[in-house]
Amino acid sequence: MAECQDDDRLEALAGFEILDTPREPLFDSLTELAARTFETPIALISLVDEQRQWFKSCIGLGVDHTARDISFCQYAIRSDDALVVLDAQLDPLFAANPLVTGPPNIRFYAGAPLITSKGHRLGTLCVIDTVPRSAFDETEIGKLRALADSVMQALELRIAALERERLAKLAQEREALLVQAERMAGVGTWSLDVATDQTIWSDEVYRIHGIDPSNGSPELAGALACYRPDDARLVGECISRSVATGEAFDIQARIVRPDGEERDVLVRGACRFGADGGVAGLFGAFQDVTALRLADLALRESEARSRYLLENASDMIVRLNNHGVVIEVSPACRAYGYEPQELVGLATVSFVHPDDLAVATAARDDTLGSEGPDPDLLREYRLRKKDGSYRWVHGSPTILRDSEGNVREVITVLRDITERKLAEERLVASEAKARHLIENSTDMMVRMDQTSRILEVSPACRAFGYEPDDLVGQTSLALIHPEDLDAAVAAARDNFSGGPADLNLSREYRFRTKSGEYRWLQGSPTVTRDDRGAPLELISTFRDVTERKEAELALAEKEARYRLLAENARDIIACYGADGLMTYVSPAVSTVLGYQAEELIGASPANFMHKDDAKTV
């Protein structure tokens, strides 16, 4: 029972919100008055919580609390009577107390409990001395109780003041919230006193009118002057009718602000009746609905535009319910031979080509799923026209959900992609044909980057002992014969120079086979470029010209031998063209005939012979 009572007491103490608060002059003056009244060096206003006695005001001690279990006040709050200890050293309850045997060396103690109106003892007002006393009579106890009552009254006044402050703050916050709510909602309040003809406006009404509140609320005539003339007459009639009949009114009108801006407003009014039952005044709401009117106008215009786009869009726009059944379809369906009403109530998958049914079904199930459409899912399939032919379409769904997140309906745009699909099929066929040619060509086709690193190579490389994977990643220049490397580097530099190919550059090199021998290759390069013309990659076709090069070298060698013999012969050796003119004359002609060989090139031998012998030539 004692623990339960202490819990109630502690709860009451917490309700005063006094613990661990700063010093306050009122409480310090009461402790000073107590010390002076009883001529003690120490006076305390002590509040006892669960673990300690805390001093709201303290005179004569340098601490703000002590432990509850050694405090005198823990005994003083057990009764409504004052606790008086004349000499603590002679009192069995306190003789061994550390506050008696040590600082502050208490000898005399008198404490009166601080009792709330509900009987809870929160602490004490106590006076303490370091010397004992022989007596502390009823008069002095009465004074101590009176001072304790003053402390309790101060605590009550303090919490009441805090509560008033909270209430005032709450009222202020509520007023601010009301003003904010009016501002956010665009709704103000007004009232009219019938007897004085005076209006009262809230801040929002002033704001809507564009009038400074410091000018004060206008009389009824001034308020009506803010309306357009025809609307002012209407509002005035409504007010007069309400005063006469007690009926409420709700009208829309237009006001003109001082800056000339016109605003649409909604005016609602109701009657306030006096003690005699007559209408004493009117009150109501005032709302700026300009934005709503403009939004409604914009919505109508948007709907008109949307309807126009829907009616004239080349894409077919379809509304589906949450089961994939058509609710509405745009007139673009006529391109497929259907009238819109023919498709309503049918499932879109019923028009899908049998071979594409799995794709269309997966797309429908994904769209209606809880996660929403997967952007990476294939949504291309063929739709059957009314004449039985098929067209390729691509679907782009948009999901509309209810407040719980469930699919309410789907709006999908079906775009005809038949031409694109046919182009893709042609491209695939063309690529397949090109791949076939590459795979079966005897020429080796190589794709390289700007550093001559091989990116891809055709199977024709097997003629040189390599598999394509053997060459990918290698530098093509590393496979060129050292004697041909300079020419190959120059050609590679020319390929990516950005200008036309230099036709004088040799593009025939010896290429090392996997076995280590060399074969002559002739390169035919093509450079791929970006949109700005910058080179990206090189695609080159290499043809094996070893037999031709070897034949050319053999012929050149043979010609060199013949030339060597002719240059050193004593007889004149001459060569003739088909036209009978000399194309070559050996150096011996200068020794035998005295001509230089170059003088005779292009001449007929008959020009240098005796006329009798020329006939034989």
Side-chain angles (χ1 to χ4, degrees):
M1 178 66 72
E3 290 182 2
C4 181
Q5 291 176 346
D6 197 52
D7 289 341
D8 293 341
R9 188 191 66 80
L10 291 172
E11 184 178 354
L13 175 60
F16 277 84
E17 302 176 21
I18 190 71
L19 292 175
D20 299 306
T21 57
R23 296 182 62 169
E24 297 178 50
L26 175 59
F27 295 99
D28 287 344
S29 65
L30 291 172
T31 52
E32 184 176 355
L33 178 60
R36 290 180 180 275
T37 299
F38 300 105
E39 299 180 351
T40 58
I42 301 171
L44 307 171
I45 296 175
S46 176
L47 300 169
V48 182
D49 66 14
E50 195 171 10
Q51 302 292 335
R52 61 183 177 155
Q53 63 170 354
W54 176 79
F55 308 139
K56 174 59 182 175
S57 180
C58 174
I59 291 178
L61 289 181
V63 296
D64 66 355
H65 73 279
T66 64
R68 175 174 174 170
D69 59 0
I70 62 172
S71 69
F72 281 58
C73 292
Q74 67 168 316
Y75 298 101
I77 63 172
R78 297 180 183 182
S79 169
D80 292 346
D81 297 329
L83 174 66
V84 178
V85 180
L86 297 176
D87 189 345
Q89 286 185 349
L90 301 179
D91 191 309
L93 189 60
F94 298 108
N97 190 297
L99 299 177
V100 175
T101 59
N105 304 113
I106 297 174
R107 296 294 296 277
F108 168 75
Y109 172 89
L114 304 175
I115 305 173
T116 71
S117 59
K118 295 184 178 180
H120 297 115
R121 296 182 284 275
L122 308 182
T124 65
L125 170 66
C126 60
V127 289
I128 299 172
D129 204 341
T130 57
V131 295
R133 295 197 178 186
S134 59
F136 195 77
D137 59 25
E138 287 299 326
T139 300
E140 291 174 308
I141 291 174
K143 293 178 182 179
L144 184 61
R145 284 176 174 165
L147 285 173
D149 289 342
S150 297
V151 172
M152 192 65 239
Q153 289 172 9
L155 289 172
E156 296 278 4
L157 291 172
R158 180 183 180 279
I159 192 61
L162 287 177
E163 188 62 25
R164 286 194 301 273
E165 183 180 336
R166 272 196 293 268
L167 289 174
K169 185 177 181 182
L170 181 60
Q172 186 179 12
E173 290 175 351
R174 285 177 176 173
E175 180 64 24
L177 284 174
L178 179 60
V179 171
Q180 186 178 11
E182 285 189 357
R183 185 66 179 271
M184 292 175 65
V187 179
T189 57
W190 63 273
S191 65
L192 169 67
D193 187 281
V194 173
T196 63
D197 208 29
Q198 188 69 33
T199 63
I200 297 177
W201 290 356
S202 69
D203 289 346
E204 185 62 15
V205 176
Y206 281 105
R207 192 193 67 79
I208 294 172
H209 280 83
I211 297 175
D212 187 351
S214 63
N215 294 332
S217 299
E219 294 181 347
L220 178 59
L224 293 176
C226 297
Y227 291 86
R228 285 180 48 163
D230 50 345
D231 291 338
R233 185 169 52 255
L234 175 63
V235 174
E237 290 173 354
C238 288
I239 291 175
S240 297
R241 185 167 52 252
S242 292
V243 172
T245 65
E247 296 177 355
F249 65 90
D250 186 339
I251 59 172
Q252 189 166 331
R254 291 157 296 179
I255 62 171
V256 180
R257 293 158 58 115
D259 59 5
E261 182 183 1
E262 187 174 287
R263 308 295 292 179
D264 290 82
V265 295
L266 185 65
V267 187
R268 292 187 176 93
C271 296
R272 175 172 56 81
F273 298 95
D276 60 356
V279 175
L282 298 176
F283 65 94
F286 192 86
Q287 182 179 8
D288 186 340
V289 294
T290 307
L292 294 177
R293 182 181 64 81
L294 294 176
D296 181 66
L297 180 61
L299 178 61
R300 293 176 185 273
E301 292 176 350
S302 176
E303 288 177 345
R305 287 195 299 269
S306 298
R307 178 56 57 183
Y308 176 80
L309 292 174
L310 185 66
E311 296 291 337
N312 294 278
S314 57
D315 295 337
M316 185 164 55
I317 303 171
V318 184
R319 287 178 58 212
L320 307 169
N321 65 15
N322 57 2
H323 298 293
V325 175
V326 177
I327 302 172
E328 184 182 6
V329 62
S330 69
C333 66
R334 293 186 179 119
Y336 297 82
Y338 301 103
E339 288 298 320
Q341 59 270 21
E342 294 182 73
L343 301 178
V344 173
L346 302 177
T348 53
V349 292
S350 63
F351 297 90
V352 173
H353 192 288
D355 294 344
D356 303 333
L357 190 58
V359 173
T361 302
R364 180 199 61 189
D365 294 344
D366 172 73
T367 300
L368 298 175
S370 59
E371 299 299 323
D374 180 358
D376 297 325
L377 188 68
L378 180 65
R379 299 179 187 277
E380 297 178 355
Y381 38 83
R382 285 163 287 183
L383 283 184
R384 186 178 68 252
K385 295 177 63 178
K386 195 169 184 177
D387 63 8
S389 62
Y390 285 89
R391 300 288 292 179
W392 279 97
V393 297
H394 173 80
S396 300
T398 298
I399 309 302
L400 301 181
R401 301 182 182 274
D402 59 22
S403 59
E404 297 179 355
N406 300 315
V407 176
R408 181 163 52 86
E409 67 176 64
V410 178
I411 299 176
T412 187
V413 178
L414 297 176
R415 172 161 295 179
D416 191 313
I417 58 169
T418 304
E419 297 305 320
R420 193 201 79 194
K421 293 294 288 188
L422 292 175
E424 288 176 354
E425 290 174 1
R426 289 192 294 269
L427 179 61
V428 169
S430 176
E431 289 179 345
K433 183 177 180 180
R435 177 59 59 184
H436 176 75
L437 292 174
I438 291 173
E439 296 290 338
N440 294 278
S441 174
T442 57
D443 293 341
M444 182 171 63
M445 298 181 187
V446 182
R447 187 165 63 90
M448 293 176 282
D449 64 15
Q450 296 188 48
T451 65
S452 296
R453 183 171 60 92
I454 297 173
L455 304 174
E456 186 179 4
V457 62
S458 70
C461 66
R462 295 187 180 112
F464 304 96
Y466 297 105
E467 288 296 324
D469 290 345
D470 297 336
L471 298 178
V472 172
Q474 290 199 49
T475 302
S476 62
L477 297 176
L479 302 172
I480 302 299
H481 193 286
E483 295 177 2
D484 302 333
L485 189 57
D486 289 345
V489 170
R493 188 182 304 114
D494 178 67
N495 290 334
F496 290 103
S497 65
D502 186 351
L503 300 179
N504 294 320
L505 281 175
S506 173
R507 287 181 167 79
E508 294 182 351
Y509 335 100
R510 281 163 286 182
F511 177 77
R512 187 176 71 248
T513 66
K514 193 168 186 178
S515 63
E517 66 174 323
Y518 285 90
R519 301 286 293 177
W520 279 97
L521 298 182
Q522 181 185 59
S524 300
T526 299
V527 178
T528 61
R529 302 180 184 276
D530 61 18
D531 295 339
R532 295 173 295 178
L536 296 173
E537 295 179 349
L538 176 72
I539 299 175
S540 188
T541 301
F542 292 98
R543 176 166 293 179
D544 190 329
V545 294
T546 304
E547 284 72 15
R548 177 176 64 78
K549 289 293 290 186
E550 288 177 349
E552 289 176 353
L553 291 173
L555 178 61
E557 184 179 351
K558 184 183 289 186
E559 288 179 346
R561 287 199 303 271
Y562 289 158
R563 185 173 294 279
L564 179 63
L565 290 173
E567 297 291 329
N568 292 281
R570 292 181 180 180
D571 297 330
I572 298 174
I573 300 173
C575 297
Y576 303 90
D579 55 0
L581 302 179
M582 288 183 285
T583 59
Y584 172 78
V585 181
S586 66
V589 72
S590 63
T591 303
V592 177
L593 300 177
Y595 292 102
Q596 294 299 317
E598 56 270 16
E599 295 180 73
L600 304 179
I601 301 301
S604 170
N607 296 338
F608 302 94
M609 293 186 178
H610 191 278
K611 60 180 180 178
D612 293 336
D613 297 331
K615 296 177 181 179
T616 63
V617 176

